[in-house]
Amino acid sequence: MTETEKPVCYTCRAAKRYFDGAVAASRYTEALRKAIHRFKFRHEQYMAKTFAGFIEYAFSKSGAKANAFDIIVCVPPDKERYYKRGFDPVEVIGKYVSERLGIPILPGAVVKIKNNLPQHKLNARERAKNVHGVYKIALPDDVKDKNVLLIDDVFTTGATANEIARMLKKAGTKYVLVATIAKSVPKI
């Protein structure tokens, strides 16, 4: 079954997508959810290398070529979560993905300028509204005319990735491929 033949929910079909593609290594299973939470909330940072391997696997299975990408950009946390955790989980994974694929990472390219509700508590429509205007491209000259690999941990509805891709495209980015550890089934 090709990507275009796969069933897509109405919300996803109806939404305008700014990213050009998305890959995930696995479905968001209970075991994977627990592992990601241990990494993010219990500071088990050794797991980052494994998660980077998952993303590398998804990337290579997609047929994408590393030399087609100029930079890696990571979905940023809000400042409060960053200071509470003491690290940016997605950026830690992104650094290992960068090493594995040989694509330079651009830390700080995207910043979260507003705090919003946690996405996991919202349905698809609410998620899209919740992230609108929350991110800013902090390094617009560094993303202009680039092909970007956008890294996040979990892809649910794609609202966060879509909003960041929208901002990247507005800044002149040519192509955005989203790569995540897991893909979840959205709440509709």
mmCIF file with all atom_site columns, all heavy atoms in Angstrom, residues 36-60:
data_model
loop_
_atom_site.group_PDB
_atom_site.id
_atom_site.type_symbol
_atom_site.label_atom_id
_atom_site.label_alt_id
_atom_site.label_comp_id
_atom_site.label_asym_id
_atom_site.label_entity_id
_atom_site.label_seq_id
_atom_site.pdbx_PDB_ins_code
_atom_site.Cartn_x
_atom_site.Cartn_y
_atom_site.Cartn_z
_atom_site.occupancy
_atom_site.B_iso_or_equiv
_atom_site.pdbx_formal_charge
_atom_site.auth_seq_id
_atom_site.auth_comp_id
_atom_site.auth_asym_id
_atom_site.auth_atom_id
_atom_site.pdbx_PDB_model_num
ATOM 1   N N   . ILE A 1 36 ? 9.359  6.637  26.411 1.00 0.00 ? 36 ILE A N   1
ATOM 2   C CA  . ILE A 1 36 ? 9.525  8.066  26.113 1.00 0.00 ? 36 ILE A CA  1
ATOM 3   C C   . ILE A 1 36 ? 9.324  8.892  27.374 1.00 0.00 ? 36 ILE A C   1
ATOM 4   O O   . ILE A 1 36 ? 10.081 9.834  27.636 1.00 0.00 ? 36 ILE A O   1
ATOM 5   C CB  . ILE A 1 36 ? 8.572  8.505  24.981 1.00 0.00 ? 36 ILE A CB  1
ATOM 6   C CG1 . ILE A 1 36 ? 9.019  7.867  23.655 1.00 0.00 ? 36 ILE A CG1 1
ATOM 7   C CG2 . ILE A 1 36 ? 8.525  10.025 24.860 1.00 0.00 ? 36 ILE A CG2 1
ATOM 8   C CD1 . ILE A 1 36 ? 8.026  8.031  22.509 1.00 0.00 ? 36 ILE A CD1 1
ATOM 9   N N   . HIS A 1 37 ? 8.356  8.526  28.195 1.00 0.00 ? 37 HIS A N   1
ATOM 10  C CA  . HIS A 1 37 ? 8.132  9.251  29.449 1.00 0.00 ? 37 HIS A CA  1
ATOM 11  C C   . HIS A 1 37 ? 9.306  9.089  30.407 1.00 0.00 ? 37 HIS A C   1
ATOM 12  O O   . HIS A 1 37 ? 9.675  10.060 31.079 1.00 0.00 ? 37 HIS A O   1
ATOM 13  C CB  . HIS A 1 37 ? 6.814  8.810  30.097 1.00 0.00 ? 37 HIS A CB  1
ATOM 14  C CG  . HIS A 1 37 ? 5.628  9.450  29.466 1.00 0.00 ? 37 HIS A CG  1
ATOM 15  N ND1 . HIS A 1 37 ? 4.586  9.982  30.172 1.00 0.00 ? 37 HIS A ND1 1
ATOM 16  C CD2 . HIS A 1 37 ? 5.321  9.665  28.161 1.00 0.00 ? 37 HIS A CD2 1
ATOM 17  C CE1 . HIS A 1 37 ? 3.697  10.488 29.350 1.00 0.00 ? 37 HIS A CE1 1
ATOM 18  N NE2 . HIS A 1 37 ? 4.116  10.306 28.123 1.00 0.00 ? 37 HIS A NE2 1
ATOM 19  N N   . ARG A 1 38 ? 9.879  7.889  30.479 1.00 0.00 ? 38 ARG A N   1
ATOM 20  C CA  . ARG A 1 38 ? 11.072 7.703  31.330 1.00 0.00 ? 38 ARG A CA  1
ATOM 21  C C   . ARG A 1 38 ? 12.198 8.615  30.861 1.00 0.00 ? 38 ARG A C   1
ATOM 22  O O   . ARG A 1 38 ? 12.888 9.231  31.667 1.00 0.00 ? 38 ARG A O   1
ATOM 23  C CB  . ARG A 1 38 ? 11.526 6.241  31.321 1.00 0.00 ? 38 ARG A CB  1
ATOM 24  C CG  . ARG A 1 38 ? 10.727 5.346  32.220 1.00 0.00 ? 38 ARG A CG  1
ATOM 25  C CD  . ARG A 1 38 ? 11.402 4.014  32.518 1.00 0.00 ? 38 ARG A CD  1
ATOM 26  N NE  . ARG A 1 38 ? 12.153 3.429  31.441 1.00 0.00 ? 38 ARG A NE  1
ATOM 27  C CZ  . ARG A 1 38 ? 11.675 2.569  30.532 1.00 0.00 ? 38 ARG A CZ  1
ATOM 28  N NH1 . ARG A 1 38 ? 10.417 2.186  30.597 1.00 0.00 ? 38 ARG A NH1 1
ATOM 29  N NH2 . ARG A 1 38 ? 12.451 2.075  29.600 1.00 0.00 ? 38 ARG A NH2 1
ATOM 30  N N   . PHE A 1 39 ? 12.388 8.664  29.557 1.00 0.00 ? 39 PHE A N   1
ATOM 31  C CA  . PHE A 1 39 ? 13.429 9.517  28.993 1.00 0.00 ? 39 PHE A CA  1
ATOM 32  C C   . PHE A 1 39 ? 13.176 10.986 29.328 1.00 0.00 ? 39 PHE A C   1
ATOM 33  O O   . PHE A 1 39 ? 14.072 11.686 29.795 1.00 0.00 ? 39 PHE A O   1
ATOM 34  C CB  . PHE A 1 39 ? 13.490 9.303  27.475 1.00 0.00 ? 39 PHE A CB  1
ATOM 35  C CG  . PHE A 1 39 ? 14.315 10.308 26.729 1.00 0.00 ? 39 PHE A CG  1
ATOM 36  C CD1 . PHE A 1 39 ? 15.677 10.408 26.953 1.00 0.00 ? 39 PHE A CD1 1
ATOM 37  C CD2 . PHE A 1 39 ? 13.732 11.151 25.800 1.00 0.00 ? 39 PHE A CD2 1
ATOM 38  C CE1 . PHE A 1 39 ? 16.450 11.336 26.258 1.00 0.00 ? 39 PHE A CE1 1
ATOM 39  C CE2 . PHE A 1 39 ? 14.494 12.078 25.100 1.00 0.00 ? 39 PHE A CE2 1
ATOM 40  C CZ  . PHE A 1 39 ? 15.852 12.162 25.340 1.00 0.00 ? 39 PHE A CZ  1
ATOM 41  N N   . LYS A 1 40 ? 11.956 11.450 29.089 1.00 0.00 ? 40 LYS A N   1
ATOM 42  C CA  . LYS A 1 40 ? 11.649 12.867 29.259 1.00 0.00 ? 40 LYS A CA  1
ATOM 43  C C   . LYS A 1 40 ? 11.498 13.299 30.715 1.00 0.00 ? 40 LYS A C   1
ATOM 44  O O   . LYS A 1 40 ? 11.939 14.393 31.080 1.00 0.00 ? 40 LYS A O   1
ATOM 45  C CB  . LYS A 1 40 ? 10.355 13.217 28.508 1.00 0.00 ? 40 LYS A CB  1
ATOM 46  C CG  . LYS A 1 40 ? 10.518 13.189 27.001 1.00 0.00 ? 40 LYS A CG  1
ATOM 47  C CD  . LYS A 1 40 ? 9.202  13.235 26.265 1.00 0.00 ? 40 LYS A CD  1
ATOM 48  C CE  . LYS A 1 40 ? 8.551  14.574 26.282 1.00 0.00 ? 40 LYS A CE  1
ATOM 49  N NZ  . LYS A 1 40 ? 7.380  14.634 25.368 1.00 0.00 ? 40 LYS A NZ  1
ATOM 50  N N   . PHE A 1 41 ? 10.891 12.467 31.540 1.00 0.00 ? 41 PHE A N   1
ATOM 51  C CA  . PHE A 1 41 ? 10.529 12.899 32.887 1.00 0.00 ? 41 PHE A CA  1
ATOM 52  C C   . PHE A 1 41 ? 11.398 12.312 33.997 1.00 0.00 ? 41 PHE A C   1
ATOM 53  O O   . PHE A 1 41 ? 11.417 12.832 35.095 1.00 0.00 ? 41 PHE A O   1
ATOM 54  C CB  . PHE A 1 41 ? 9.057  12.594 33.158 1.00 0.00 ? 41 PHE A CB  1
ATOM 55  C CG  . PHE A 1 41 ? 8.142  13.242 32.151 1.00 0.00 ? 41 PHE A CG  1
ATOM 56  C CD1 . PHE A 1 41 ? 7.421  12.471 31.257 1.00 0.00 ? 41 PHE A CD1 1
ATOM 57  C CD2 . PHE A 1 41 ? 8.031  14.621 32.064 1.00 0.00 ? 41 PHE A CD2 1
ATOM 58  C CE1 . PHE A 1 41 ? 6.583  13.053 30.310 1.00 0.00 ? 41 PHE A CE1 1
ATOM 59  C CE2 . PHE A 1 41 ? 7.212  15.209 31.132 1.00 0.00 ? 41 PHE A CE2 1
ATOM 60  C CZ  . PHE A 1 41 ? 6.484  14.437 30.253 1.00 0.00 ? 41 PHE A CZ  1
ATOM 61  N N   . ARG A 1 42 ? 12.115 11.237 33.695 1.00 0.00 ? 42 ARG A N   1
ATOM 62  C CA  . ARG A 1 42 ? 13.022 10.653 34.689 1.00 0.00 ? 42 ARG A CA  1
ATOM 63  C C   . ARG A 1 42 ? 14.482 10.855 34.296 1.00 0.00 ? 42 ARG A C   1
ATOM 64  O O   . ARG A 1 42 ? 15.370 10.244 34.881 1.00 0.00 ? 42 ARG A O   1
ATOM 65  C CB  . ARG A 1 42 ? 12.735 9.169  34.872 1.00 0.00 ? 42 ARG A CB  1
ATOM 66  C CG  . ARG A 1 42 ? 11.396 8.894  35.513 1.00 0.00 ? 42 ARG A CG  1
ATOM 67  C CD  . ARG A 1 42 ? 11.269 7.441  35.843 1.00 0.00 ? 42 ARG A CD  1
ATOM 68  N NE  . ARG A 1 42 ? 9.922  7.108  36.238 1.00 0.00 ? 42 ARG A NE  1
ATOM 69  C CZ  . ARG A 1 42 ? 9.437  5.889  36.247 1.00 0.00 ? 42 ARG A CZ  1
ATOM 70  N NH1 . ARG A 1 42 ? 10.205 4.868  35.882 1.00 0.00 ? 42 ARG A NH1 1
ATOM 71  N NH2 . ARG A 1 42 ? 8.217  5.663  36.617 1.00 0.00 ? 42 ARG A NH2 1
ATOM 72  N N   . HIS A 1 43 ? 14.680 11.640 33.270 1.00 0.00 ? 43 HIS A N   1
ATOM 73  C CA  . HIS A 1 43 ? 16.032 12.008 32.828 1.00 0.00 ? 43 HIS A CA  1
ATOM 74  C C   . HIS A 1 43 ? 16.892 10.803 32.453 1.00 0.00 ? 43 HIS A C   1
ATOM 75  O O   . HIS A 1 43 ? 18.099 10.821 32.659 1.00 0.00 ? 43 HIS A O   1
ATOM 76  C CB  . HIS A 1 43 ? 16.735 12.855 33.891 1.00 0.00 ? 43 HIS A CB  1
ATOM 77  C CG  . HIS A 1 43 ? 15.964 14.069 34.266 1.00 0.00 ? 43 HIS A CG  1
ATOM 78  N ND1 . HIS A 1 43 ? 16.069 15.239 33.588 1.00 0.00 ? 43 HIS A ND1 1
ATOM 79  C CD2 . HIS A 1 43 ? 15.025 14.287 35.229 1.00 0.00 ? 43 HIS A CD2 1
ATOM 80  C CE1 . HIS A 1 43 ? 15.250 16.133 34.123 1.00 0.00 ? 43 HIS A CE1 1
ATOM 81  N NE2 . HIS A 1 43 ? 14.605 15.576 35.114 1.00 0.00 ? 43 HIS A NE2 1
ATOM 82  N N   . GLU A 1 44 ? 16.293 9.789  31.877 1.00 0.00 ? 44 GLU A N   1
ATOM 83  C CA  . GLU A 1 44 ? 17.048 8.613  31.451 1.00 0.00 ? 44 GLU A CA  1
ATOM 84  C C   . GLU A 1 44 ? 17.588 8.881  30.045 1.00 0.00 ? 44 GLU A C   1
ATOM 85  O O   . GLU A 1 44 ? 17.149 8.296  29.054 1.00 0.00 ? 44 GLU A O   1
ATOM 86  C CB  . GLU A 1 44 ? 16.161 7.364  31.528 1.00 0.00 ? 44 GLU A CB  1
ATOM 87  C CG  . GLU A 1 44 ? 15.779 7.052  32.959 1.00 0.00 ? 44 GLU A CG  1
ATOM 88  C CD  . GLU A 1 44 ? 15.001 5.765  33.132 1.00 0.00 ? 44 GLU A CD  1
ATOM 89  O OE1 . GLU A 1 44 ? 15.054 4.893  32.248 1.00 0.00 ? 44 GLU A OE1 1
ATOM 90  O OE2 . GLU A 1 44 ? 14.334 5.638  34.182 1.00 0.00 ? 44 GLU A OE2 1
ATOM 91  N N   . GLN A 1 45 ? 18.577 9.792  29.994 1.00 0.00 ? 45 GLN A N   1
ATOM 92  C CA  . GLN A 1 45 ? 19.082 10.306 28.718 1.00 0.00 ? 45 GLN A CA  1
ATOM 93  C C   . GLN A 1 45 ? 19.829 9.276  27.886 1.00 0.00 ? 45 GLN A C   1
ATOM 94  O O   . GLN A 1 45 ? 20.006 9.477  26.693 1.00 0.00 ? 45 GLN A O   1
ATOM 95  C CB  . GLN A 1 45 ? 19.941 11.544 28.966 1.00 0.00 ? 45 GLN A CB  1
ATOM 96  C CG  . GLN A 1 45 ? 19.105 12.713 29.458 1.00 0.00 ? 45 GLN A CG  1
ATOM 97  C CD  . GLN A 1 45 ? 19.873 14.003 29.483 1.00 0.00 ? 45 GLN A CD  1
ATOM 98  O OE1 . GLN A 1 45 ? 20.703 14.259 28.613 1.00 0.00 ? 45 GLN A OE1 1
ATOM 99  N NE2 . GLN A 1 45 ? 19.610 14.821 30.477 1.00 0.00 ? 45 GLN A NE2 1
ATOM 100 N N   . TYR A 1 46 ? 20.247 8.181  28.494 1.00 0.00 ? 46 TYR A N   1
ATOM 101 C CA  . TYR A 1 46 ? 20.908 7.135  27.715 1.00 0.00 ? 46 TYR A CA  1
ATOM 102 C C   . TYR A 1 46 ? 19.979 6.595  26.624 1.00 0.00 ? 46 TYR A C   1
ATOM 103 O O   . TYR A 1 46 ? 20.429 6.032  25.631 1.00 0.00 ? 46 TYR A O   1
ATOM 104 C CB  . TYR A 1 46 ? 21.372 5.991  28.622 1.00 0.00 ? 46 TYR A CB  1
ATOM 105 C CG  . TYR A 1 46 ? 20.235 5.233  29.276 1.00 0.00 ? 46 TYR A CG  1
ATOM 106 C CD1 . TYR A 1 46 ? 19.664 4.130  28.646 1.00 0.00 ? 46 TYR A CD1 1
ATOM 107 C CD2 . TYR A 1 46 ? 19.723 5.641  30.505 1.00 0.00 ? 46 TYR A CD2 1
ATOM 108 C CE1 . TYR A 1 46 ? 18.607 3.439  29.223 1.00 0.00 ? 46 TYR A CE1 1
ATOM 109 C CE2 . TYR A 1 46 ? 18.670 4.953  31.087 1.00 0.00 ? 46 TYR A CE2 1
ATOM 110 C CZ  . TYR A 1 46 ? 18.110 3.865  30.449 1.00 0.00 ? 46 TYR A CZ  1
ATOM 111 O OH  . TYR A 1 46 ? 17.062 3.189  31.020 1.00 0.00 ? 46 TYR A OH  1
ATOM 112 N N   . MET A 1 47 ? 18.672 6.766  26.785 1.00 0.00 ? 47 MET A N   1
ATOM 113 C CA  . MET A 1 47 ? 17.692 6.276  25.820 1.00 0.00 ? 47 MET A CA  1
ATOM 114 C C   . MET A 1 47 ? 17.706 7.084  24.523 1.00 0.00 ? 47 MET A C   1
ATOM 115 O O   . MET A 1 47 ? 17.192 6.636  23.497 1.00 0.00 ? 47 MET A O   1
ATOM 116 C CB  . MET A 1 47 ? 16.293 6.286  26.433 1.00 0.00 ? 47 MET A CB  1
ATOM 117 C CG  . MET A 1 47 ? 16.178 5.400  27.666 1.00 0.00 ? 47 MET A CG  1
ATOM 118 S SD  . MET A 1 47 ? 14.598 5.576  28.481 1.00 0.00 ? 47 MET A SD  1
ATOM 119 C CE  . MET A 1 47 ? 13.685 4.337  27.569 1.00 0.00 ? 47 MET A CE  1
ATOM 120 N N   . ALA A 1 48 ? 18.304 8.266  24.548 1.00 0.00 ? 48 ALA A N   1
ATOM 121 C CA  . ALA A 1 48 ? 18.315 9.142  23.370 1.00 0.00 ? 48 ALA A CA  1
ATOM 122 C C   . ALA A 1 48 ? 18.970 8.467  22.167 1.00 0.00 ? 48 ALA A C   1
ATOM 123 O O   . ALA A 1 48 ? 18.502 8.620  21.032 1.00 0.00 ? 48 ALA A O   1
ATOM 124 C CB  . ALA A 1 48 ? 19.033 10.451 23.693 1.00 0.00 ? 48 ALA A CB  1
ATOM 125 N N   . LYS A 1 49 ? 20.042 7.726  22.403 1.00 0.00 ? 49 LYS A N   1
ATOM 126 C CA  . LYS A 1 49 ? 20.725 7.044  21.292 1.00 0.00 ? 49 LYS A CA  1
ATOM 127 C C   . LYS A 1 49 ? 19.816 6.009  20.642 1.00 0.00 ? 49 LYS A C   1
ATOM 128 O O   . LYS A 1 49 ? 19.793 5.867  19.427 1.00 0.00 ? 49 LYS A O   1
ATOM 129 C CB  . LYS A 1 49 ? 22.015 6.376  21.772 1.00 0.00 ? 49 LYS A CB  1
ATOM 130 C CG  . LYS A 1 49 ? 23.126 7.342  22.043 1.00 0.00 ? 49 LYS A CG  1
ATOM 131 C CD  . LYS A 1 49 ? 24.397 6.607  22.421 1.00 0.00 ? 49 LYS A CD  1
ATOM 132 C CE  . LYS A 1 49 ? 25.508 7.597  22.686 1.00 0.00 ? 49 LYS A CE  1
ATOM 133 N NZ  . LYS A 1 49 ? 26.770 6.928  23.008 1.00 0.00 ? 49 LYS A NZ  1
ATOM 134 N N   . THR A 1 50 ? 19.065 5.290  21.457 1.00 0.00 ? 50 THR A N   1
ATOM 135 C CA  . THR A 1 50 ? 18.130 4.293  20.931 1.00 0.00 ? 50 THR A CA  1
ATOM 136 C C   . THR A 1 50 ? 17.036 4.976  20.124 1.00 0.00 ? 50 THR A C   1
ATOM 137 O O   . THR A 1 50 ? 16.705 4.544  19.015 1.00 0.00 ? 50 THR A O   1
ATOM 138 C CB  . THR A 1 50 ? 17.516 3.469  22.080 1.00 0.00 ? 50 THR A CB  1
ATOM 139 O OG1 . THR A 1 50 ? 18.569 2.821  22.783 1.00 0.00 ? 50 THR A OG1 1
ATOM 140 C CG2 . THR A 1 50 ? 16.521 2.449  21.561 1.00 0.00 ? 50 THR A CG2 1
ATOM 141 N N   . PHE A 1 51 ? 16.478 6.051  20.670 1.00 0.00 ? 51 PHE A N   1
ATOM 142 C CA  . PHE A 1 51 ? 15.423 6.775  19.955 1.00 0.00 ? 51 PHE A CA  1
ATOM 143 C C   . PHE A 1 51 ? 15.949 7.372  18.650 1.00 0.00 ? 51 PHE A C   1
ATOM 144 O O   . PHE A 1 51 ? 15.249 7.384  17.639 1.00 0.00 ? 51 PHE A O   1
ATOM 145 C CB  . PHE A 1 51 ? 14.812 7.861  20.834 1.00 0.00 ? 51 PHE A CB  1
ATOM 146 C CG  . PHE A 1 51 ? 14.010 7.324  21.994 1.00 0.00 ? 51 PHE A CG  1
ATOM 147 C CD1 . PHE A 1 51 ? 14.001 7.981  23.206 1.00 0.00 ? 51 PHE A CD1 1
ATOM 148 C CD2 . PHE A 1 51 ? 13.275 6.151  21.890 1.00 0.00 ? 51 PHE A CD2 1
ATOM 149 C CE1 . PHE A 1 51 ? 13.260 7.503  24.276 1.00 0.00 ? 51 PHE A CE1 1
ATOM 150 C CE2 . PHE A 1 51 ? 12.532 5.655  22.959 1.00 0.00 ? 51 PHE A CE2 1
ATOM 151 C CZ  . PHE A 1 51 ? 12.531 6.335  24.158 1.00 0.00 ? 51 PHE A CZ  1
ATOM 152 N N   . ALA A 1 52 ? 17.186 7.849  18.658 1.00 0.00 ? 52 ALA A N   1
ATOM 153 C CA  . ALA A 1 52 ? 17.797 8.353  17.420 1.00 0.00 ? 52 ALA A CA  1
ATOM 154 C C   . ALA A 1 52 ? 17.915 7.231  16.399 1.00 0.00 ? 52 ALA A C   1
ATOM 155 O O   . ALA A 1 52 ? 17.699 7.447  15.201 1.00 0.00 ? 52 ALA A O   1
ATOM 156 C CB  . ALA A 1 52 ? 19.168 8.960  17.715 1.00 0.00 ? 52 ALA A CB  1
ATOM 157 N N   . GLY A 1 53 ? 18.229 6.033  16.875 1.00 0.00 ? 53 GLY A N   1
ATOM 158 C CA  . GLY A 1 53 ? 18.290 4.871  15.982 1.00 0.00 ? 53 GLY A CA  1
ATOM 159 C C   . GLY A 1 53 ? 16.931 4.568  15.376 1.00 0.00 ? 53 GLY A C   1
ATOM 160 O O   . GLY A 1 53 ? 16.829 4.202  14.193 1.00 0.00 ? 53 GLY A O   1
ATOM 161 N N   . PHE A 1 54 ? 15.868 4.729  16.164 1.00 0.00 ? 54 PHE A N   1
ATOM 162 C CA  . PHE A 1 54 ? 14.510 4.535  15.646 1.00 0.00 ? 54 PHE A CA  1
ATOM 163 C C   . PHE A 1 54 ? 14.230 5.523  14.513 1.00 0.00 ? 54 PHE A C   1
ATOM 164 O O   . PHE A 1 54 ? 13.696 5.153  13.470 1.00 0.00 ? 54 PHE A O   1
ATOM 165 C CB  . PHE A 1 54 ? 13.464 4.745  16.744 1.00 0.00 ? 54 PHE A CB  1
ATOM 166 C CG  . PHE A 1 54 ? 13.378 3.669  17.786 1.00 0.00 ? 54 PHE A CG  1
ATOM 167 C CD1 . PHE A 1 54 ? 14.194 2.545  17.772 1.00 0.00 ? 54 PHE A CD1 1
ATOM 168 C CD2 . PHE A 1 54 ? 12.460 3.781  18.815 1.00 0.00 ? 54 PHE A CD2 1
ATOM 169 C CE1 . PHE A 1 54 ? 14.098 1.561  18.743 1.00 0.00 ? 54 PHE A CE1 1
ATOM 170 C CE2 . PHE A 1 54 ? 12.343 2.803  19.790 1.00 0.00 ? 54 PHE A CE2 1
ATOM 171 C CZ  . PHE A 1 54 ? 13.165 1.694  19.759 1.00 0.00 ? 54 PHE A CZ  1
ATOM 172 N N   . ILE A 1 55 ? 14.584 6.780  14.746 1.00 0.00 ? 55 ILE A N   1
ATOM 173 C CA  . ILE A 1 55 ? 14.332 7.811  13.729 1.00 0.00 ? 55 ILE A CA  1
ATOM 174 C C   . ILE A 1 55 ? 15.173 7.548  12.490 1.00 0.00 ? 55 ILE A C   1
ATOM 175 O O   . ILE A 1 55 ? 14.692 7.677  11.368 1.00 0.00 ? 55 ILE A O   1
ATOM 176 C CB  . ILE A 1 55 ? 14.549 9.224  14.316 1.00 0.00 ? 55 ILE A CB  1
ATOM 177 C CG1 . ILE A 1 55 ? 13.423 9.530  15.318 1.00 0.00 ? 55 ILE A CG1 1
ATOM 178 C CG2 . ILE A 1 55 ? 14.612 10.283 13.211 1.00 0.00 ? 55 ILE A CG2 1
ATOM 179 C CD1 . ILE A 1 55 ? 13.591 10.815 16.092 1.00 0.00 ? 55 ILE A CD1 1
ATOM 180 N N   . GLU A 1 56 ? 16.429 7.158  12.689 1.00 0.00 ? 56 GLU A N   1
ATOM 181 C CA  . GLU A 1 56 ? 17.280 6.823  11.542 1.00 0.00 ? 56 GLU A CA  1
ATOM 182 C C   . GLU A 1 56 ? 16.658 5.680  10.734 1.00 0.00 ? 56 GLU A C   1
ATOM 183 O O   . GLU A 1 56 ? 16.648 5.704  9.499  1.00 0.00 ? 56 GLU A O   1
ATOM 184 C CB  . GLU A 1 56 ? 18.676 6.422  12.019 1.00 0.00 ? 56 GLU A CB  1
ATOM 185 C CG  . GLU A 1 56 ? 19.594 6.016  10.877 1.00 0.00 ? 56 GLU A CG  1
ATOM 186 C CD  . GLU A 1 56 ? 20.909 5.432  11.364 1.00 0.00 ? 56 GLU A CD  1
ATOM 187 O OE1 . GLU A 1 56 ? 20.955 4.856  12.465 1.00 0.00 ? 56 GLU A OE1 1
ATOM 188 O OE2 . GLU A 1 56 ? 21.895 5.533  10.609 1.00 0.00 ? 56 GLU A OE2 1
ATOM 189 N N   . TYR A 1 57 ? 16.122 4.689  11.418 1.00 0.00 ? 57 TYR A N   1
ATOM 190 C CA  . TYR A 1 57 ? 15.466 3.553  10.754 1.00 0.00 ? 57 TYR A CA  1
ATOM 191 C C   . TYR A 1 57 ? 14.274 4.039  9.923  1.00 0.00 ? 57 TYR A C   1
ATOM 192 O O   . TYR A 1 57 ? 14.132 3.669  8.754  1.00 0.00 ? 57 TYR A O   1
ATOM 193 C CB  . TYR A 1 57 ? 15.014 2.536  11.800 1.00 0.00 ? 57 TYR A CB  1
ATOM 194 C CG  . TYR A 1 57 ? 14.130 1.448  11.242 1.00 0.00 ? 57 TYR A CG  1
ATOM 195 C CD1 . TYR A 1 57 ? 14.676 0.382  10.537 1.00 0.00 ? 57 TYR A CD1 1
ATOM 196 C CD2 . TYR A 1 57 ? 12.752 1.506  11.413 1.00 0.00 ? 57 TYR A CD2 1
ATOM 197 C CE1 . TYR A 1 57 ? 13.864 -0.618 10.009 1.00 0.00 ? 57 TYR A CE1 1
ATOM 198 C CE2 . TYR A 1 57 ? 11.936 0.506  10.893 1.00 0.00 ? 57 TYR A CE2 1
ATOM 199 C CZ  . TYR A 1 57 ? 12.489 -0.545 10.195 1.00 0.00 ? 57 TYR A CZ  1
ATOM 200 O OH  . TYR A 1 57 ? 11.675 -1.517 9.677  1.00 0.00 ? 57 TYR A OH  1
ATOM 201 N N   . ALA A 1 58 ? 13.415 4.865  10.525 1.00 0.00 ? 58 ALA A N   1
ATOM 202 C CA  . ALA A 1 58 ? 12.242 5.384  9.801  1.00 0.00 ? 58 ALA A CA  1
ATOM 203 C C   . ALA A 1 58 ? 12.670 6.204  8.595  1.00 0.00 ? 58 ALA A C   1
ATOM 204 O O   . ALA A 1 58 ? 12.079 6.095  7.513  1.00 0.00 ? 58 ALA A O   1
ATOM 205 C CB  . ALA A 1 58 ? 11.377 6.228  10.740 1.00 0.00 ? 58 ALA A CB  1
ATOM 206 N N   . PHE A 1 59 ? 13.689 7.003  8.780  1.00 0.00 ? 59 PHE A N   1
ATOM 207 C CA  . PHE A 1 59 ? 14.213 7.849  7.706  1.00 0.00 ? 59 PHE A CA  1
ATOM 208 C C   . PHE A 1 59 ? 14.706 6.988  6.546  1.00 0.00 ? 59 PHE A C   1
ATOM 209 O O   . PHE A 1 59 ? 14.345 7.200  5.394  1.00 0.00 ? 59 PHE A O   1
ATOM 210 C CB  . PHE A 1 59 ? 15.356 8.712  8.260  1.00 0.00 ? 59 PHE A CB  1
ATOM 211 C CG  . PHE A 1 59 ? 15.950 9.674  7.282  1.00 0.00 ? 59 PHE A CG  1
ATOM 212 C CD1 . PHE A 1 59 ? 15.374 10.913 7.063  1.00 0.00 ? 59 PHE A CD1 1
ATOM 213 C CD2 . PHE A 1 59 ? 17.109 9.354  6.580  1.00 0.00 ? 59 PHE A CD2 1
ATOM 214 C CE1 . PHE A 1 59 ? 15.929 11.806 6.162  1.00 0.00 ? 59 PHE A CE1 1
ATOM 215 C CE2 . PHE A 1 59 ? 17.671 10.237 5.680  1.00 0.00 ? 59 PHE A CE2 1
ATOM 216 C CZ  . PHE A 1 59 ? 17.070 11.474 5.473  1.00 0.00 ? 59 PHE A CZ  1
ATOM 217 N N   . SER A 1 60 ? 15.503 5.969  6.853  1.00 0.00 ? 60 SER A N   1
ATOM 218 C CA  . SER A 1 60 ? 16.060 5.132  5.780  1.00 0.00 ? 60 SER A CA  1
ATOM 219 C C   . SER A 1 60 ? 14.980 4.290  5.103  1.00 0.00 ? 60 SER A C   1
ATOM 220 O O   . SER A 1 60 ? 15.012 4.101  3.889  1.00 0.00 ? 60 SER A O   1
ATOM 221 C CB  . SER A 1 60 ? 17.190 4.246  6.316  1.00 0.00 ? 60 SER A CB  1
ATOM 222 O OG  . SER A 1 60 ? 16.704 3.335  7.264  1.00 0.00 ? 60 SER A OG  1
#
